[in-house]
Amino acid sequence: MKKLLSIKYSATAFNISFLVLRLVLGLSMCINHGYGKLVNFSDKKDQFVDFLGIGSTTTLALVVFAEFFCSIFIAIGLFTRFTVIPLIIAMGYAFFVAGSGDLFDKGELSALFLSGYFALLLCGPGRVSVDGVINK
């Protein structure tokens, strides 16, 4: 019981935790959100939101880049802090604009992704990643 209430952690626990976090965030975003937008790009390009007046096709291309390609990079832990930034922007927009900042209804999923991506930005990918192997 004392160990469960302790605030101490080992480096191994940290690295395994961030491996699990990266895999869950990266694969679920890629498979559940990015892949559908990628394969249905031509159907969605005209009806997608126009973010900052750059056009709906350009916005969809940037979202596909973030949700599909950046998510794969996050899952394997490659350029993690760099590739998490487009996802933070996309999930920030999804939460604050599309979800109206409603944490307990439409914006719940985007808020969960946003907080996980923010944790990855602050703490990095951990040692069990391609970044961890490169920087060893």
Side-chain angles (χ1 to χ4, degrees):
M1 185 66 169
K2 186 176 182 179
K3 188 172 184 173
L4 289 175
L5 298 175
S6 173
I7 60 169
K8 296 178 184 178
Y9 60 90
S10 66
T12 303
F14 174 85
N15 291 321
I16 291 172
S17 299
F18 272 79
L19 170 65
V20 170
L21 182 66
R22 277 193 354 265
L23 287 174
V24 169
L25 289 175
L27 293 177
S28 63
M29 177 60 75
C30 178
I31 294 167
N32 295 331
H33 301 282
Y35 181 73
K37 289 180 181 79
L38 179 65
V39 297
N40 297 315
F41 188 87
S42 60
D43 298 335
K44 293 180 179 266
K45 69 179 180 175
D46 296 325
Q47 59 196 16
F48 205 73
V49 66
D50 183 7
F51 181 63
L52 297 177
I54 61 175
S56 59
T57 303
T58 306
T59 302
L60 180 59
L62 291 172
V63 169
V64 167
F65 170 74
E67 290 183 357
F68 187 77
F69 296 104
C70 289
S71 292
I72 291 172
F73 278 20
I74 285 175
I76 64 173
L78 181 61
F79 310 123
T80 305
R81 285 193 167 123
F82 180 70
T83 56
V84 80
I85 293 170
L87 285 159
I88 288 174
I89 294 168
M91 291 302 102
Y93 181 85
F95 177 67
F96 291 110
V97 178
S100 303
D102 189 3
L103 182 60
F104 300 107
D105 191 21
K106 296 188 299 185
E108 178 183 8
L109 187 59
S110 57
L112 288 172
F113 276 114
L114 182 60
S115 36
Y117 293 141
F118 191 67
L120 285 172
L121 178 68
L122 293 177
C123 297
R127 286 202 164 270
V128 187
S129 65
V130 176
D131 287 343
V133 172
I134 291 171
N135 293 325
K136 203 170 196 181

